[in-house]
Amino acid sequence: VVDISEAEKVMSKLFNVRFLRHLSLDFKQNNFNDQTCDCLCQLLYSSTVLSEFALLLSNVILTNRGVISIADGLSKAPLITSLHIDFQECNEFDDTGLSYLMQVLSDKTNLSRLHLGFALCRLITQQSAEEVARVLRSNAHLTEIALDLGGDDLSIEGIKIISKAIQNVENLSLIHI
């Protein structure tokens, strides 16, 4: 467990790494908040060669503003082809934040590996399912998809929407749901 000042210190040290290609950050049960998301966004802006990014947040306070900040950072990292975002038990944001993030991911058409985790976030409404499906449909190069929706009450209609989108991805070699 890393407190907020430690998280920001770690990220500030990463600013000095010029050719960072792979980055994995794991923050569990700490004070990761909107201010930390802003710092992360700046780090993603400055990473000109980053191709793999993983952000694992578990049981942290993450608002729509924080999710939008993360999405803004991802939008400025054009070379990312492998993305793992896991918001386990981060239930301070809603469809607004998720919709913005999914729009950014829909625009990242060079993704080959995508892992989205929303376990116990209470986000998976029909609108959320449609947003996730849009990302899957817009990324023709996907070869791996992992979706973690554990503990969420996804409706039958939501399952159908996501299933149909997955069926239309042509080059998949690995699916984990």
Side-chain angles (χ1 to χ4, degrees), residues 33-97:
N33 62 18
D34 292 340
Q35 182 180 344
T36 312
C37 290
D38 292 341
C39 186
L40 175 61
C41 178
Q42 291 171 5
L43 174 63
L44 290 170
Y45 278 162
S46 69
S47 299
T48 57
V49 296
L50 186 64
S51 63
E52 292 187 24
F53 179 63
L55 177 61
L56 311 173
L57 301 175
S58 177
N59 199 22
V60 299
I61 297 171
L62 189 62
T63 66
N64 284 330
R65 181 180 168 275
V67 173
I68 290 169
S69 184
I70 291 168
D72 284 342
L74 289 169
S75 72
K76 302 297 184 195
L79 300 179
I80 292 179
T81 58
S82 177
L83 183 61
H84 180 151
I85 298 179
D86 197 339
F87 298 136
Q88 185 175 14
E89 294 186 75
C90 300
N91 51 21
E92 295 293 320
F93 68 101
D94 57 25
D95 284 339
T96 303

Side-chain angles (χ1 to χ4, degrees), residues 4 76 79 84 100 109-110 118 130 137 141 174:
I4 189 75
K76 302 297 184 195
L79 300 179
H84 180 151
Y100 191 85
T109 57
N110 60 329
F118 302 110
E130 290 170 0
R137 286 190 304 268
H141 301 292
L174 177 66

Side-chain angles (χ1 to χ4, degrees), residues 155-172:
S155 68
I156 296 296
E157 188 60 32
I159 292 169
K160 288 178 182 178
I161 290 168
I162 292 174
S163 295
K164 184 176 180 183
I166 289 171
Q167 289 173 358
N168 291 330
V169 179
E170 294 180 13
N171 300 315
L172 282 179

Side-chain angles (χ1 to χ4, degrees), residues 133-144:
R134 181 172 46 133
V135 171
L136 299 176
R137 286 190 304 268
S138 68
N139 283 281
H141 301 292
L142 283 173
T143 57
E144 295 181 22

